Amino acid sequence: MTRPPLRKDAARNWDRIVAVARELVDEHTPLQLNDVARRAGLGVGTVYRHFPTPEALLETVALPCLETLAGHGEAALRDTDPWRALTGFLLHTVQAQVTDPSLATVSAAASDALPRTTQLKESLRSAGTTLLARAHAAGVVRTDLTAPDLVPLMCGIAYAAEVHCETPAERSATARRYLLTLLEGLRTPPPAA
């Protein structure tokens, strides 16, 4: 993420605010700008100057994950194997959902505080739609699976892994297993030889 150049002290404050917000998100603690200021040892005004809303701060925390996912989407679009491209992209997506608690809230928001968030979310939607269309065209995935189905399916898998597993490693392994099982159910059987 690029931001306008800041004075050294302002850049340190920005970094500190984002680091504290990341800690709170990882603890599953709702972001309140006053709490962030207190934990960061900064004035509330300093936090509000950098992030006018909790949503803007949460999106800033989520941006690295969204950027990485968008990169995976671009790589998947370059893959010439439609099944591998779709499954690889979905595996990266569900992995991000179970490892970054900021992602679900930011992804589900009806509106975005930051223009970059909107761009990245649109890039991800577009990649998923294109990858699914390619898989449909190649006849490797069930035709009744639609692009709008992808997000709820990924969220369902991430939620199931979250509630049934205690450690991050268990959540990742379980989400991967659930997704691979789902994908095998969505795959079109190869024609009989």
Side-chain angles (χ1 to χ4, degrees):
M1 176 184 129
T2 58
R3 62 180 196 246
L6 298 172
R7 293 184 334 259
K8 285 184 182 182
D9 61 331
R12 275 192 308 273
N13 289 343
W14 190 95
D15 291 341
R16 181 72 184 133
I17 293 164
V18 172
V20 166
R22 172 88 264 169
E23 291 169 7
L24 290 168
V25 167
D26 289 345
E27 295 168 4
H28 300 281
T29 302
L31 283 183
Q32 300 295 325
L33 297 182
N34 291 352
D35 296 340
V36 171
R38 191 171 21 267
R39 191 183 272 199
L42 299 169
V44 174
T46 300
V47 175
Y48 277 90
R49 269 193 300 282
H50 288 286
F51 301 99
T53 65
E55 292 79 17
L57 180 53
L58 181 62
E59 289 177 26
T60 300
V61 169
L63 281 177
C65 183
L66 289 169
E67 295 273 2
T68 299
L69 275 178
H72 289 305
E74 291 167 12
L77 290 169
R78 291 189 300 272
D79 190 333
T80 58
D81 181 302
W83 178 253
R84 184 179 58 222
L86 177 64
T87 59
F89 178 66
L90 295 179
L91 282 165
H92 284 295
T93 301
V94 80
Q95 178 67 25
Q97 287 179 310
V98 297
T99 57
D100 189 339
S102 68
L103 192 59
T105 303
V106 170
S107 296
S111 63
D112 304 315
L114 305 176
R116 183 65 179 145
T117 305
T118 303
Q119 293 168 347
L120 290 167
K121 286 167 63 173
E122 180 51 42
S123 172
L124 292 169
R125 273 190 294 276
S126 176
T129 299
T130 301
L131 292 167
L132 182 59
R134 284 177 39 198
H136 280 147
V140 296
V141 71
R142 291 170 44 151
T143 57
D144 59 343
L145 177 67
T146 66
D149 295 334
L150 294 177
V151 171
L153 288 172
M154 297 303 98
C155 290
I157 289 169
Y159 178 76
E162 182 74 29
V163 298
H164 294 292
C165 302
E166 293 184 22
T167 69
E170 287 175 335
R171 280 192 292 280
S172 290
T174 300
R176 181 178 177 80
R177 187 176 74 251
Y178 289 173
L179 179 59
L180 291 174
T181 302
L182 172 74
L183 288 170
E184 283 306 313
L186 295 172
R187 192 171 191 171
T188 331

